Amino acid sequence: MPETAERGLTAAEVANREQNGQTNRVKTQSSRSVGQIVRANVFTLFNGIILAAMVMVLITGSWRDAVFGFVIIINTGIGVVTELRAKRTLDRLSILVASDYVVRRDGRNVEVKHDQIVVDDLLWIRAGDQVPADAAVVETWGLELDESMLTGESRTVRRKAGEQVYSGSTAVSGLALVRVNAVGEHSYAATLTAQAKVYKKTVSDLTRGINTILKFMTFLVVPLCVLLIWSQISAVGGWNHALATGEWRTAVISAVAGVVGMIPEGLVLLTSLNFALAAMRLARRNTLVQELESVETLARVDCLNLDKTGTITDGGIAFSRLVMLDGGSEGTSNADAVRRVRQALYDLANEEQPNGTGQAVLAGLKAEGVGAGPIAARVPFSSARKWSAVVEGSAGPAGEKGRETLWYMGAPEVLCSAFDGDHTDVLDMVNAYANDGNRVLLIARADMADPSAFADDPHLDPHARPVALVLCAERIRPDAEETLAWFREQGVRCRVISGDNPVTVGAIARKVHLTGDRAPVAMDARELPDDVNELARVLEGVDVLGRVLPDQKKAIVRALHTQGHVVAMTGDGVNDALALKEADLGVAMGNAASATKAVAQVVLVDSKFSHLPDVVARGRQVMANMERVASLFLVKTVYSALISLAVVLTRIPYPYLPRHITYIGALTIGMPAFILALAPNTRRYMPGFLKRVVHFALPGGVATAASVLMAAWFLPSTMGWDVDASDADLADLRATCAIVLFVMGVFVLGRVARPLNGWRGVLVACFAAAGVIGLFIPFVRNFFALVVPQGRLIPATLIAMGGSVAVFFLCLWIVPMIWRIIARALATR
């Protein structure tokens, strides 16, 4: 480090600031806490209802009929364990490696961690360091900062003594000693984060639809439970008789059978499990999901706003090529002239602390075998001059006898304006290359007699002549073009929104074929209207926006929302944080500012834009499969509600026991649903999740309810059973109804799992076979009160099954027809 008279804070002053909390420590949380996970899985309304129902059954002494409660407890435990595993994976993935920094304390340079910096510390900012806290420059040795994280502009800025530097910017060259004046939550980046981190729950179409189902069931379950108990008490002879004979226990068990069937208890759990497992799978691909519901959100996105720097480009600069100005190009010009220019370019860039462009040139030429040559004198690059120069050493190629060759490199307009002659053609070439997204530097040469005098008095020689153009460009991610093509094919409109020059951004958008074969339409954001509706209209015809301010990025997202678009936003800078917060889904790069990652729902840890299709695919899998699963659960809810209502109105004994629904539900809904939820599925998102689920569930639910009720109403008279007086006859009726319910459950499962060719058909066949096999296993048969049809039960079962098959196919035809008639009637009102 350079010598300085500054001594910095004393140890006592540092301790005092640490005691007062004036350190650079910021609280961060990457995922839900253990307590939140346990509460979310355990303390739910439906777990409460299930627990109450289980307690009621246990009071009757029929613990076998309370098995459904233990199943819920086990499933909830699985949910907690799975989410805890997901949390551990995500927390491990989200740990950020904090750099060490050098501060000056007690007149010595001391290395400290990021969070040990305190207010008033004298901090050394070196090339490559990210500024960890806001500070004022005390002394500078050519410090240049990349503030693209803050402003969105990829150009570097030179800071002088007394000027402010902000956390989140990066030193690209030079060195400075700065005095820290804002740390931790008071820094610029953290202040912006505070605005963005107002909690906003990810709105999931899937979760919204399921919550609608659950809210409806909340209003339905409690009154139906009361009515069921009343009807079952009436069926056994009234309250006095029920209490005197103990038959109130049967009434309670029957009522609970209806309540348990109506609750889609596994649906919410399976949704959380599916989100958690999807997040774990994405974590293995270096994609951190900070809100589980966001896995599904990207499947619904139809607008993707991309930040240029850090998303399409990696933020670095690459040397493209050298263009000779003698009428040819590097490949066709005189070989010796090209060699000399390339050597001069290397020596010009080979400063003690080259800036980003110089580093890119050195890297490119080193890869081509160019090395350092002898230098007689050097004038380093200065942002004030806009040029640098070197004088070839005596061992280098000579110009005229007794004279040395002087080489300049710098801004073309500055150099050309100082040289004699008309260089309009050179500037036209410069503009053409710049419009194609390149950063252009000019190399010029002159002959001189006294190199030492030049070093003492650097100036532009008017007799120098331009000899070559140096083209550099931002490094485009190799996966950008392919990823953008994938989104185009999927019908997602991509826009590039950047703080850089719109011409430069538009050129990069053309290179990656943002809009396919069509040239992208670019616009300067300073020309955008303030009115949100007018802004939305303008955006429909624009593909690229440059010079965009942070507030404008947020306004752009809001404008797209007014048109009903589902918007995702990617970014890596602090200037992107507010827009990421406003978007339906914020996606941050792994090398993004802490403020940006804090508000994003998804973080691409290795900063690979190509991971986004994986997130989309996982979201589509969750959405499409959960639609199947929700349909399966809702069928059970529909038929249980209809059966319960019919039982209340006709005062018949409930046609099956709680343990029957536990057995049948596990084989035709619970276990198959878990497998179907994890199956591959690439179907595109389609709006109307809840409508389609209800539309699918109604025919199956009505058919199942009708089949079971027909058996309960007509079998006793057909078979001569007295279900009111004979417990054996009632047991036979319930066993037969359970068989009908199982057959209908298999039919519904087969309809949900379509197409049945391949593994889906095997899945349905296996669970159907498992249900039949269970009838012949004594323990299973006795525990779940199942009966193998024999004797008089065989004709009863055949009659009931024949009727149920007919009803099933009839309902599949009639119910959708009635649904369409009702929908048309409502639409014409």
Side-chain angles (χ1 to χ4, degrees):
M1 299 295 177
E3 290 296 325
T4 177
E6 299 285 345
R7 294 191 57 80
L9 298 176
T10 64
E13 289 171 331
V14 171
N16 181 57
R17 283 161 175 74
E18 287 177 345
Q19 188 175 0
N20 293 333
Q22 294 176 299
T23 63
N24 202 36
R25 189 174 292 111
V26 179
K27 294 179 181 179
T28 58
Q29 183 174 322
S30 62
S31 58
R32 291 199 296 176
S33 67
V34 174
Q36 289 173 323
I37 290 173
V38 172
R39 284 194 298 272
N41 283 276
V42 175
F43 299 106
T44 66
L45 172 64
F46 283 86
N47 275 2
I49 294 174
I50 288 290
L51 180 62
M54 184 179 73
V55 170
M56 289 172 62
V57 173
L58 288 174
I59 290 173
T60 68
S62 181
W63 66 271
R64 293 181 183 180
D65 284 306
V67 169
F68 64 87
F70 294 103
V71 170
I72 295 302
I73 293 171
I74 293 170
N75 285 345
T76 302
I78 293 172
V80 171
V81 170
T82 304
E83 285 209 49
L84 286 176
R85 286 186 61 190
K87 171 184 167 57
R88 189 168 64 250
T89 302
L90 301 183
D91 285 351
R92 189 165 56 244
L93 192 63
S94 65
I95 292 174
L96 303 176
V97 180
S99 302
D100 291 336
Y101 292 86
V102 177
V103 295
R104 191 162 181 80
R105 293 175 180 172
D106 287 318
R108 294 182 297 108
N109 294 326
V110 183
E111 196 169 82
V112 299
K113 294 188 180 300
H114 167 277
D115 57 1
Q116 292 175 337
I117 297 169
V118 300
V119 171
D120 295 326
D121 249 333
L122 285 177
L123 172 70
W124 288 102
I125 300 296
R126 302 161 293 181
D129 283 351
Q130 186 174 49
V131 180
D134 298 355
V137 177
V138 177
E139 295 182 65
T140 177
W141 292 264
L143 177 68
E144 289 195 23
L145 294 175
D146 174 2
E147 297 185 341
S148 60
M149 285 285 190
L150 308 177
T151 65
E153 294 189 56
S154 54
R155 66 183 180 88
T156 58
V157 179
R158 182 163 288 233
R159 291 297 178 199
K160 302 175 183 177
E163 293 185 336
Q164 185 79 1
V165 296
Y166 295 100
S167 56
S169 54
T170 303
V172 293
S173 66
L175 179 71
L177 184 65
V178 301
R179 191 180 305 278
V180 175
N181 51 30
V183 293
E185 296 174 354
H186 301 288
S187 66
Y188 175 80
T191 303
L192 192 57
T193 304
Q195 298 177 40
K197 281 196 75 172
V198 177
Y199 181 73
K200 177 173 78 79
K201 178 73 172 174
T202 301
V203 180
S204 164
D205 192 36
L206 176 61
T207 305
R208 189 191 301 114
I210 291 173
N211 284 342
T212 301
I213 296 170
L214 298 182
K215 285 176 184 176
F216 176 77
M217 293 310 305
T218 302
F219 293 105
L220 187 64
V221 164
V222 176
L224 260 181
C225 182
V226 174
L227 290 172
L228 274 173
I229 293 176
W230 171 78
S231 69
Q232 295 306 292
I233 291 291
S234 299
V236 297
W239 284 100
N240 292 333
H241 178 75
L243 293 173
T245 60
E247 292 189 13
W248 63 272
R249 295 183 175 87
T250 304
V252 169
I253 292 171
S254 299
V256 168
V259 171
V260 171
M262 282 185 284
I263 299 172
E265 67 276 355
L267 184 55
V268 177
L269 173 67
L270 202 54
T271 303
S272 297
L273 277 175
N274 214 1
F275 283 147
L277 290 172
M280 291 174 68
R281 288 178 178 177
L282 288 171
R284 296 189 192 106
R285 291 179 173 267
N286 287 320
T287 302
L288 168 64
V289 179
Q290 302 195 115
E291 290 183 24
L292 295 181
E293 288 82 357
S294 60
V295 171
E296 173 252 318
T297 306
L298 195 48
R300 301 187 286 114
V301 166
D302 59 358
C303 282
L304 178 59
N305 293 343
L306 302 165
D307 181 41
K308 173 184 68 69
T309 306
T311 302
I312 295 178
T313 66
D314 62 8
I317 302 171
F319 169 63
S320 298
R321 59 193 175 104
L322 194 66
V323 178
M324 302 298 290
L325 295 177
D326 56 358
S329 65
E330 184 180 354
T332 59
S333 298
N334 178 272
D336 183 60
V338 171
R339 183 185 60 79
R340 290 192 64 188
V341 173
R342 287 159 63 84
Q343 182 64 58
L345 174 59
Y346 187 97
D347 293 334
L348 284 160
N350 193 25
E351 297 182 0
E352 184 177 347
Q353 289 186 323
N355 59 21
T357 304
Q359 291 173 5
V361 169
L362 289 174
L365 292 178
K366 279 180 181 176
E368 298 173 10
V370 182
I375 299 298
R378 174 185 297 279
V379 176
F381 178 82
S382 160
S383 2
R385 284 191 302 265
K386 301 292 185 185
W387 56 268
S388 62
V390 295
V391 180
E392 286 182 349
S394 57
E400 296 180 15
K401 188 175 181 181
R403 298 177 68 83
E404 302 289 346
T405 302
L406 169 65
W407 296 93
Y408 293 103
M409 179 175 72
E413 62 276 12
V414 173
L415 296 180
C416 287
S417 65
F419 298 156
D420 292 340
D422 182 10
H423 301 292
T424 306
D425 56 339
V426 174
L427 293 177
D428 288 342
M429 289 180 65
V430 169
N431 290 332
Y433 285 122
N435 289 339
D436 201 31
N438 294 285
R439 293 186 182 185
V440 187
L441 296 173
L442 176 68
I443 296 180
R445 62 168 290 178
D447 295 326
M448 66 181 312
D450 188 359
S452 60
F454 176 78
D456 295 335
D457 180 25
H459 62 276
L460 291 174
D461 186 342
H463 301 297
R465 63 184 181 87
V467 295
L469 296 179
V470 182
L471 304 186
C472 292
E474 288 189 72
R475 284 198 301 264
I476 295 175
R477 294 184 182 276
D479 51 16
E481 184 174 344
E482 182 182 355
T483 305
L484 289 170
W486 188 88
F487 277 112
R488 274 199 315 276
E489 292 168 2
Q490 302 302 314
V492 178
R493 173 77 180 274
C494 294
R495 290 182 180 85
V496 179
I497 299 176
S498 174
D500 253 339
N501 188 307
V503 175
T504 303
V505 183
I508 290 175
R510 283 197 303 275
K511 288 181 180 178
V512 296
H513 297 95
L514 175 71
T515 51
D517 296 330
R518 176 177 65 84
V521 178
M523 182 178 179
D524 193 316
R526 290 172 292 189
E527 301 172 8
L528 289 175
D530 293 329
D531 179 72
V532 69
N533 294 315
E534 182 65 16
L535 176 59
R537 187 190 64 78
V538 171
L539 288 175
E540 289 301 317
V542 177
D543 306 300
V544 174
L545 285 164
R547 304 293 188 206
V548 184
L549 299 174
D551 286 343
Q552 283 183 307
K553 291 187 178 186
K554 181 178 178 181
I556 288 167
V557 174
R558 283 183 173 175
L560 292 172
H561 280 158
T562 64
Q563 302 301 306
H565 295 297
V566 179
V567 184
M569 177 82 197
T570 73
D572 67 341
V574 177
N575 62 308
D576 300 316
L578 293 177
L580 263 65
K581 166 72 169 50
E582 187 67 26
D584 297 281
L585 187 73
V587 181
M589 298 294 142
N591 58 359
S594 298
T596 310
K597 285 187 281 197
V599 300
Q601 288 93 357
V602 175
V603 179
L604 305 181
V605 176
D606 54 6
S607 300
K608 288 188 177 179
F609 179 42
S610 57
H611 286 325
L612 277 181
D614 289 334
V615 181
V616 173
R618 197 62 61 198
R620 288 180 173 176
Q621 179 190 34
V622 169
M623 194 68 186
N625 286 340
M626 286 310 300
E627 186 171 314
R628 290 178 184 268
V629 169
S631 301
L632 203 54
F633 278 99
L634 195 58
V635 167
K636 177 165 132 339
T637 298
V638 169
Y639 73 63
S640 296
L642 291 175
I643 291 172
S644 298
L645 188 60
V647 166
V648 168
L649 294 175
T650 58
R651 297 187 184 182
I652 61 172
Y654 207 87
Y656 49 80
L657 298 171
R659 67 184 87 168
H660 290 150
I661 198 66
T662 300
Y663 180 78
I664 295 166
L667 292 173
T668 62
I669 298 174
M671 289 187 281
F674 186 82
I675 296 172
L676 289 172
L678 302 178
N681 200 322
T682 58
R683 193 196 74 183
R684 290 189 187 185
Y685 168 76
M686 295 182 293
F689 164 80
L690 183 59
K691 181 179 178 181
R692 285 195 305 279
V693 167
V694 172
H695 191 272
F696 179 93
L698 275 177
V702 171
T704 303
S707 300
V708 172
L709 288 171
M710 285 176 59
W713 285 334
F714 302 120
L715 270 183
S717 58
T718 303
M719 303 302 299
W721 294 339
D722 187 356
V723 295
D724 294 324
S726 171
D727 290 340
D729 288 346
L730 180 58
D732 286 344
L733 175 62
R734 284 175 168 164
T736 305
C737 287
I739 292 173
V740 171
L741 190 62
F742 176 75
V743 170
M744 297 301 289
V746 172
F747 283 169
V748 171
L749 176 61
R751 188 164 172 249
V752 167
R754 289 180 304 178
L756 296 179
N757 54 333
W759 69 269
R760 296 179 189 276
V762 174
L763 173 78
V764 175
C766 285
F767 280 107
V772 174
I773 292 170
L775 289 175
F776 297 93
I777 300 174
F779 171 76
V780 175
R781 183 173 63 246
N782 294 334
F783 189 90
F784 290 102
L786 304 174
V787 175
V788 178
Q790 53 186 334
R792 64 175 186 165
L793 275 184
I794 293 178
T797 304
L798 292 176
I799 293 170
M801 288 177 60
S804 65
V805 171
V807 168
F808 182 77
F809 288 104
L810 189 64
C811 286
L812 291 184
W813 174 60
I814 292 178
V815 173
M817 185 186 300
I818 297 172
W819 179 272
R820 285 193 297 270
I821 293 171
I822 294 173
R824 277 198 298 268
L826 292 174
T828 54
R829 283 187 177 181

